[in-house]
Amino acid sequence: MNNRMLKRILKIFLVFAMIFSFSLNSFAISAHAADQKSRITKQVDKYMSAIKKYDIKKVKKMLIDKDCLHCTDKKLQKHIRRINRECLKYEITSIKVRGKSATVRLHVSQYNIQTDFKFAIREIIWEYRKTWTPDIVIKKLNKYLRENYHPDSEAEHFEFNIKIKMEKKGNQWMITKMDNNMLFIKDAGLSYFSQDFPKHPKKYI
């Protein structure tokens, strides 16, 4: 075997070695990306499970920014859990990962509590005339939800898309913070209403 033949064989070997190395590296990158997406999916599912149960302690453990507006009224919390259990649905539509940052898009369906607010407030204010107070409205809202809440009514649901920003801290993927859409879907707007109405009642009348 002459030198020219040896050089040709060596070149062919080097080409195959490079192709094999590139393929192996690509496979490793793909496997890593798939693993990260799997971890992110599990974390989002865990987060949404905590939302459905209205377990604010668990929710905060998954947030970098712990600021999480929530309802503190125990009776209203029961309605929130029921609404979330029966109505809150979601589907992960895309996951994009860039290093230690990720963006997750979800399509969400949730009960629209705004309709109940309007009817309840009108009835309560009419009943109490000039003697109503924000505290009376909140108490009566509990009663109204208990008697009038109908999760099967399609007209009282809404659908929209939300975007969740995440960052990797150590081995854990964390949600950066809850934006307005995320705050709203966690309780169909109840926590915002229960805290905003006593401060700005005229906004809802």
Side-chain angles (χ1 to χ4, degrees):
M1 187 180 292
N2 56 37
N3 289 337
R4 184 180 293 178
M5 183 66 70
L6 284 172
K7 286 181 179 178
R8 185 176 295 175
I9 292 171
L10 184 59
K11 283 182 180 179
I12 293 171
F13 175 79
L14 288 173
V15 168
F16 275 106
M18 288 174 66
I19 292 172
F20 177 76
S21 177
F22 178 78
S23 299
L24 193 64
N25 188 51
S26 296
F27 175 78
I29 292 171
S30 297
H32 177 73
D35 177 64
Q36 293 306 305
K37 286 186 177 182
S38 176
R39 289 171 182 265
I40 289 167
T41 299
K42 286 179 181 177
Q43 188 71 347
V44 171
D45 287 339
K46 185 179 174 183
Y47 167 79
M48 292 302 290
S49 176
I51 289 291
K52 282 194 172 189
K53 295 172 184 175
Y54 209 66
D55 190 333
I56 301 302
K57 285 184 180 179
K58 279 189 179 179
V59 169
K60 285 186 175 183
K61 286 180 181 179
M62 290 178 267
L63 299 173
I64 295 174
D65 183 346
K66 306 297 182 185
D67 187 19
C68 176
L69 179 68
H70 63 281
C71 178
T72 56
D73 185 281
K74 298 296 183 183
K75 290 182 179 178
L76 278 177
Q77 285 181 1
K78 288 182 180 179
H79 293 300
I80 292 168
R81 290 188 182 96
R82 183 185 171 195
I83 289 169
N84 288 352
R85 184 175 64 251
E86 296 176 349
C87 302
L88 179 57
K89 295 177 176 62
Y90 72 96
E91 178 186 1
I92 297 174
T93 55
S94 71
I95 299 174
K96 291 184 179 179
V97 184
R98 287 188 177 180
K100 293 187 176 183
S101 298
T103 301
V104 183
R105 294 181 184 275
L106 280 76
H107 182 74
V108 180
S109 175
Q110 175 62 304
Y111 186 75
N112 187 356
I113 204 72
Q114 297 283 349
T115 305
D116 287 330
F117 290 165
K118 291 174 184 177
F119 282 116
I121 291 168
R122 286 171 189 167
E123 286 189 5
I124 293 161
I125 291 175
W126 174 255
E127 179 184 350
Y128 284 86
R129 305 297 196 283
K130 295 180 180 181
T131 63
W132 71 271
T133 66
D135 287 338
I136 288 174
V137 172
I138 296 297
K139 286 179 181 178
K140 289 291 181 179
L141 180 59
N142 278 303
K143 183 175 183 291
Y144 187 91
L145 287 172
R146 186 169 64 251
E147 295 174 353
N148 298 279
Y149 164 67
H150 302 294
D152 295 329
S153 173
E154 290 297 328
E156 293 172 342
H157 288 71
F158 64 96
E159 296 187 12
F160 61 106
N161 299 311
I162 66 170
K163 185 166 62 177
I164 298 177
K165 295 284 189 179
M166 302 182 75
E167 290 181 15
K168 193 175 184 183
K169 300 291 183 181
N171 292 322
Q172 187 78 27
W173 281 96
M174 303 279 288
I175 295 167
T176 55
K177 66 176 182 178
M178 297 182 80
D179 64 13
N180 289 335
N181 286 333
M182 291 167 71
L183 285 168
F184 190 83
I185 66 158
K186 80 179 187 316
D187 55 21
L190 259 174
S191 61
Y192 178 80
F193 170 78
S194 64
Q195 294 193 32
D196 189 56
F197 180 76
K199 298 174 185 176
H200 311 287
K202 289 183 179 179
K203 222 162 81 172
Y204 298 88
I205 299 170

